[in-house]
Amino acid sequence: MRQIRQILCLFMLVFIIAPISASEHTDDKKGLDLQGVLFGHIKDAYEWHITDINGHPIVINLPVIVKSSTGWHVFSSAEFSEEKDAAGNRPGPYGLYISGSQDNENKICEVISGKEVRPFDISITKTVVVLFINSILLLICILIPARWCKKHRPEDPAPKGFTGLMTMFIMYIYDDIIKATLGKNTDRFAPYLLTCFFFIFLSNIMGVVPFPPGGGNLTGNITITFFLALCTFLITNFTGTKAYWKEIFWPDVPTWLKVPVPLMPFIEFFSIFTKPLALMIRLFANMMAGHAIALSLTCLIFIMFGINAVAGASMTVVSVLMSVFMMLLELLVCFIQALVFTMLSSVFISLSQVKEHAAE
C-alpha cells in the first residue's frame, strides 16, 4: 500500500507540473518544434542533449575525430557553434561544420573546390557512447551470475536476487528457444544467440529510460540492426552444411524448374538475403516507431496548450495516462522484439544445419 500511495503521489505531481511547464513553454513565440523533438531523440548526434533549464540546454559534448583535407583533427563537439549561419550550417574549427543540407544533414562536412564533402569520420557520437554503456552493463549482468556459478556446484540451492533472475532468463531462452530449435547443435550456437537476446533486450530497456545513461535509441538505429542481422547472416551461411547449399542451388523440385531457366535456385538464393533483411527491418521499425509514438503522446500536451489552457489541461491527463500505457507496452515490446530476433536467428541457423536425407 505504501508503494501504491507513492505511485499515486507521483502521478498527481506529474499532473500538476506538466500543465505549468507546458503553459510556460507555449508562451514562447516560437512554439514547440515537434519534428525537432522526435528526430532529436531518434537520430544520432555529436552531442548528447539532456534537457533545457531556463532556456539553456544541458548537453554532454562528445569527442570529434575526423580526417579532413588538412589532416587528422581531434576536438570537442562544443567547438561547433550553436547558432546556424545563413546556409543553415553550424561552423566549427579547421574549416569543418555540421551541415544543414538535405544530403548531409547533421553530418560533419567541409568545402573542397566549392563542393561539400564529408571527411573520414570516426567520431564518438551519441549512438557509440550508448553502445559502450550497454556493452559494459551487459558484461556486468552476465559476469555476476557467471561468478556465482563458478563458486557453486549444480546440486547447490538455486540462487536468489539478481543472480536468480538472470539465471531464470538465461535458462528460459536456452531451453525454450535455442534448444527447442537447434537440438544437438544448441551448445555450438547458444553463446551467440544468448548474446543477441540480452544485448537487444538491454538496449531496448535502456532506450526506454528517459535519463542518462539511458535514453539512447540504439536498436532504433538501422546501422545497429544491420550489424546484428549481418552476424546472423554470416553464421548461417558459413556454417551451412553441404545439404543446405544443395537445397539452394539444386533443390528437390521438378527439373523444368531448374533447367534451362534456374527459377527455383534463383528464388532460393535470393531468400538468403531476404531473411537477414527481415531481421534488420523488423527490429529497427518496431523500436523506432515505439519511441516516436511515446514522444508524440507527450508532445500533445504542448500542442493543446498552444490552442488554449482548457484544452491543454484536459489533454494533460489523457496524454500522461496514454504515455504511461505506451511505456508499459514498450517494456513488453522490448522483450518481444529481443525474443523474436533470437528465435528467428535460431530458426535460420537450424535450417542451415540440415543433413542429407537417408536413402530409402
Side-chain angles (χ1 to χ4, degrees):
M1 290 301 297
R2 181 182 300 176
Q3 294 177 350
I4 294 175
R5 287 197 297 269
Q6 292 174 351
I7 294 173
L8 291 176
C9 289
L10 179 61
F11 279 127
M12 292 300 297
L13 183 63
V14 171
F15 290 150
I16 294 172
I17 294 177
I20 297 174
S21 174
S23 61
E24 291 178 353
H25 187 87
T26 51
D27 287 339
D28 186 2
K29 294 182 180 180
K30 295 181 180 179
L32 176 65
D33 182 10
L34 180 58
Q35 184 177 357
V37 172
L38 292 176
F39 287 97
H41 174 75
I42 294 173
K43 287 186 176 181
D44 200 4
Y46 293 98
E47 63 271 339
W48 194 338
H49 181 268
I50 307 301
T51 186
D52 291 331
I53 299 179
N54 296 327
H56 299 287
I58 306 300
V59 176
I60 300 176
N61 294 297
L62 303 174
V64 175
I65 308 171
V66 295
K67 184 181 185 300
S68 67
S69 58
T70 57
W72 283 98
H73 303 291
V74 180
F75 56 93
S76 172
S77 61
E79 298 192 33
F80 288 107
S81 173
E82 289 293 332
E83 301 295 331
K84 296 182 179 181
D85 58 17
N89 303 323
R90 293 173 52 192
Y94 311 109
L96 301 171
Y97 59 89
I98 296 181
S99 177
S101 64
Q102 185 175 2
D103 295 334
N104 299 309
E105 186 178 3
N106 295 326
K107 300 297 183 183
I108 294 178
C109 298
E110 63 177 337
V111 176
I112 300 178
S113 301
K115 184 179 180 181
E116 182 180 82
V117 296
R118 290 186 58 189
F120 181 67
D121 189 355
I122 55 172
S123 302
I124 309 298
T125 61
K126 178 183 175 181
T127 299
V128 176
V129 173
V130 174
L131 178 61
F132 288 158
I133 293 173
N134 291 352
S135 299
I136 293 172
L137 291 176
L138 178 63
L139 287 174
I140 294 174
C141 292
I142 297 301
L143 291 179
I144 290 176
R147 183 182 178 186
W148 184 93
C149 293
K150 187 177 181 181
K151 294 182 178 180
H152 293 77
R153 295 175 297 178
E155 58 269 17
D156 289 343
K160 298 180 180 179
F162 177 76
T163 302
L165 177 65
M166 288 302 300
T167 302
M168 178 195 69
F169 263 115
I170 293 171
M171 296 311 299
Y172 168 71
I173 300 301
Y174 181 87
D175 290 332
D176 294 350
I177 304 298
I178 302 175
K179 191 174 183 179
T181 306
L182 290 170
K184 296 180 180 179
N185 295 312
T186 299
D187 292 338
R188 184 182 179 188
F189 300 102
Y192 166 72
L193 294 171
L194 286 170
T195 302
C196 276
F197 173 82
F198 284 102
F199 176 76
I200 295 173
F201 181 58
L202 181 62
S203 298
N204 293 345
I205 292 294
M206 293 300 291
V208 175
V209 177
F211 50 83
N217 189 24
L218 190 62
T219 46
N221 188 312
I222 199 167
T223 306
I224 301 297
T225 59
F226 168 77
F227 178 78
L228 293 172
L230 179 64
C231 290
T232 298
F233 171 78
L234 294 176
I235 291 175
T236 300
N237 293 285
F238 278 93
T239 63
T241 61
K242 293 181 179 180
Y244 166 72
W245 289 107
K246 177 182 176 298
E247 289 294 330
I248 291 175
F249 292 107
W250 197 257
D252 292 331
V253 294
T255 305
W256 63 271
L257 291 174
K258 298 180 287 188
V259 179
V261 179
L263 178 61
M264 286 305 299
F266 174 78
I267 294 175
E268 292 290 340
F269 182 76
F270 186 71
S271 68
I272 294 177
F273 302 96
T274 57
K275 291 174 183 176
L277 182 65
L279 287 177
M280 176 185 71
I281 298 299
R282 179 184 287 106
L283 180 58
F284 162 72
N286 279 280
M287 298 314 302
M288 185 186 68
H291 286 272
I293 293 172
L295 287 171
S296 299
L297 290 172
T298 303
C299 291
L300 281 176
I301 299 174
F302 303 96
I303 295 174
M304 296 306 294
F305 265 104
I307 301 175
N308 57 66
V310 176
S314 302
M315 183 54 65
T316 297
V317 178
V318 177
S319 180
V320 170
L321 291 176
M322 288 297 296
S323 296
V324 172
F325 171 76
M326 281 302 303
M327 294 304 290
L328 294 176
L329 183 62
E330 189 73 7
L331 292 176
L332 179 62
V333 172
C334 290
F335 175 77
I336 291 176
Q337 289 305 315
L339 190 67
V340 168
F341 189 97
T342 306
M343 180 178 64
L344 290 179
S345 294
S346 63
V347 169
F348 296 157
I349 293 174
S350 68
L351 292 175
S352 70
Q353 304 302 307
V354 63
K355 302 295 183 182
E356 290 282 359
H357 298 292
E360 296 181 358

